[in-house]
């Protein structure tokens, strides 16, 4: 759907002003959107999976492990395909205030795309270089949003996500190196025009939801605290947005309608999108492995 079409539908949870701000900036911070009962449950599951990672020494289809990982000190960068890890993650993604927010930003007909839980380890953690999401999973239009949930208070020192206002209406950058290899990051030669000096931190208390448009330029710096920052992320699409390349991290729920009904007509946005690798053939680790590969 187009922003104009979406704004003509009555909102469920957000105000009309919040929706307009999202479409103007390409991102939105929504304080106190998730009830404490959900936050406590998600936080407990996150801690359990982090603790369970001690039994593993190499990355697999569940964990993306960092280079400092050990049984004594877990270093997990990502818990993959989150909704397939525990039924409560899918219950949250499909029937909670989260999907009300998705419908407010995508229109009444919404389908689920993907999910993961990113961890930033204490005392540093992974820097996520500036990038745009949709280049890794292109669709027939750009009505897709990633919704992240703060499980704890997130301040400037925690390595929050930062977004460049208005960048979703700008260019899509080719996220490959000079040899054509996928990097999942905007190249140094393009950063000068990406507006990163105007980036805004998406901070907030536990229960805050952050909404990120699929085209917006964003990244995150290192975690400067002594606590792990856990951020579950859920991607939703308007029902009339159809993927034209394999998803990098598909789940058993990818493509499932969570609000409204399936689309009978695809919406085709004329703006071009760079072609990513064929993930079905090449495989996909995570944005962390792509951005640190030589």
């Amino acid at each position: 759907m187009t922003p104009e079409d979406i704004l003509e539908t009555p909102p469920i949870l957000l105000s009309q002003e919040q929706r307009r701000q999202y479409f103007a900036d390409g991102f939105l911070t929504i304080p106190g959107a998730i009830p404490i009962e959900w936050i406590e449950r998600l936080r407990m599951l996150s801690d359990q999976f982090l603790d369970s990672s001690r039994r593993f020494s190499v990355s697999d289809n569940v964990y993306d492990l960092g280079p400092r990982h050990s049984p004594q000190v877990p270093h997990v960068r990502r818990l993959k395909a989150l909704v397939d890890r525990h039924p409560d993650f899918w219950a949250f993604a499909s029937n909670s205030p989260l999907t009300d927010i998705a419908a407010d930003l995508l229109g009444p007909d919404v389908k689920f795309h993907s999910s993961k839980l990113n961890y930033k380890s204490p005392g540093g953690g992974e820097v996520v270089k500036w990038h745009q999401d949709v280049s890794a999973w292109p669709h027939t239009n750009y009505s897709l949003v990633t919704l992240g949930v703060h499980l704890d208070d997130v301040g400037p020192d925690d390595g929050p996500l930062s977004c460049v206002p208005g960048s979703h209406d700008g260019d899509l950058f080719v996220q490959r190196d000079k040899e054509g290899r996928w990097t999942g990051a905007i190249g140094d030669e393009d950063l000068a025009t990406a507006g990163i000096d105007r980036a805004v931190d998406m901070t907030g208390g536990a229960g805050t939801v952050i909404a990120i448009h699929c085209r917006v330029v964003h990244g995150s710096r290192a975690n400067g605290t002594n606590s792990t920052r856990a951020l579950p992320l859920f991607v939703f699409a308007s029902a009339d947005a159809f993927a034209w390349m394999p998803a990098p991290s598909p789940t058993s729920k990818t493509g499932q309608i969570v609000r409204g009904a399936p689309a009978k007509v695809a919406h085709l946005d004329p703006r071009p999108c760079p072609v990513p690798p064929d993930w079905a053939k090449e495989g996909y680790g995570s944005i962390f492995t792509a951005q640190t590969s030589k």
Side-chain angles (χ1 to χ4, degrees):
M1 295 185 73
T2 67
E4 294 75 19
D5 291 335
I6 295 166
L7 287 171
E8 288 180 359
T9 64
I12 303 168
L13 189 150
L14 301 179
S15 69
Q16 196 73 336
E17 180 55 35
Q18 285 176 308
R19 298 207 291 178
R20 291 193 185 97
Q21 182 182 346
Y22 169 77
F23 288 120
D25 293 340
F27 59 94
L28 180 68
T29 300
I30 310 155
I34 305 301
I36 188 61
E37 294 81 10
W38 266 123
I39 294 301
E40 290 175 346
R41 179 60 176 155
L42 296 174
R43 187 187 295 140
M44 183 183 71
L45 288 170
S46 171
D47 291 344
Q48 287 178 352
F49 276 98
L50 188 61
D51 187 60
S52 295
S53 74
R54 298 174 188 271
R55 300 184 288 112
F56 299 88
S57 58
V58 295
S59 298
D60 57 12
N61 63 344
V62 176
Y63 291 107
D64 177 31
L65 302 178
R68 296 179 282 109
H69 181 74
S70 71
Q72 294 75 32
V73 183
H75 179 199
V76 178
R77 298 186 294 199
R78 172 170 291 178
L79 181 62
K80 303 177 183 178
L82 189 59
V83 296
D84 291 334
R85 305 283 73 87
H86 191 281
D88 283 356
F89 286 129
W90 174 242
F92 179 69
S94 60
N95 189 24
S96 77
L98 196 72
T99 36
D100 292 335
I101 294 170
D104 279 346
L105 300 178
L106 299 172
D109 301 320
V110 179
K111 61 186 171 187
F112 178 79
H113 180 264
S114 58
S115 62
K116 60 264 187 180
L117 197 163
N118 288 347
Y119 295 95
K120 269 192 185 290
S121 298
E126 280 60 43
V127 171
V128 178
K129 299 177 183 178
W130 300 102
H131 66 286
Q132 294 162 301
D133 288 337
V134 77
S135 297
W137 28 262
H139 281 61
T140 57
N141 65 68
Y142 299 103
S143 189
L144 293 98
V145 65
T146 297
L147 299 179
V149 182
H150 288 174
L151 301 186
D152 297 287
D153 295 350
V154 175
D157 294 334
D158 292 288
L161 283 175
S162 298
C163 295
V164 177
S167 56
H168 63 307
D169 287 329
D171 294 332
L172 282 181
F173 298 96
V174 177
Q175 298 178 156
R176 295 177 181 267
D177 63 18
K178 294 179 180 179
E179 286 71 43
R181 294 171 297 193
W182 178 260
T183 63
I186 298 172
D188 292 341
E189 65 279 7
D190 289 324
L191 285 179
T193 61
I196 59 174
D197 57 316
R198 299 184 288 106
V200 176
D201 286 349
M202 304 187 78
T203 56
T208 295
V209 170
I210 57 174
I212 306 168
H213 191 282
C214 67
R215 292 176 58 103
V216 81
V217 173
H218 64 289
S220 65
R221 56 188 177 271
N223 180 359
T225 74
N226 293 318
S227 301
T228 297
R229 172 176 69 71
L231 181 67
L233 297 158
F234 302 84
V235 182
F236 299 91
S238 291
D240 63 3
F242 291 86
W244 51 263
M245 286 291 285
S249 299
T251 76
S252 65
K253 308 299 185 182
T254 296
Q256 186 162 321
I257 297 295
V258 294
R259 285 288 187 277
K264 296 181 179 179
V265 177
H267 171 209
L268 306 178
D269 192 302
R271 292 173 292 178
C273 183
V275 179
D278 185 340
W279 304 119
K281 295 180 180 179
E282 299 189 24
Y284 182 80
S286 73
I287 193 171
F288 305 109
T289 56
Q291 292 190 351
T292 56
S293 295
K294 300 297 182 182

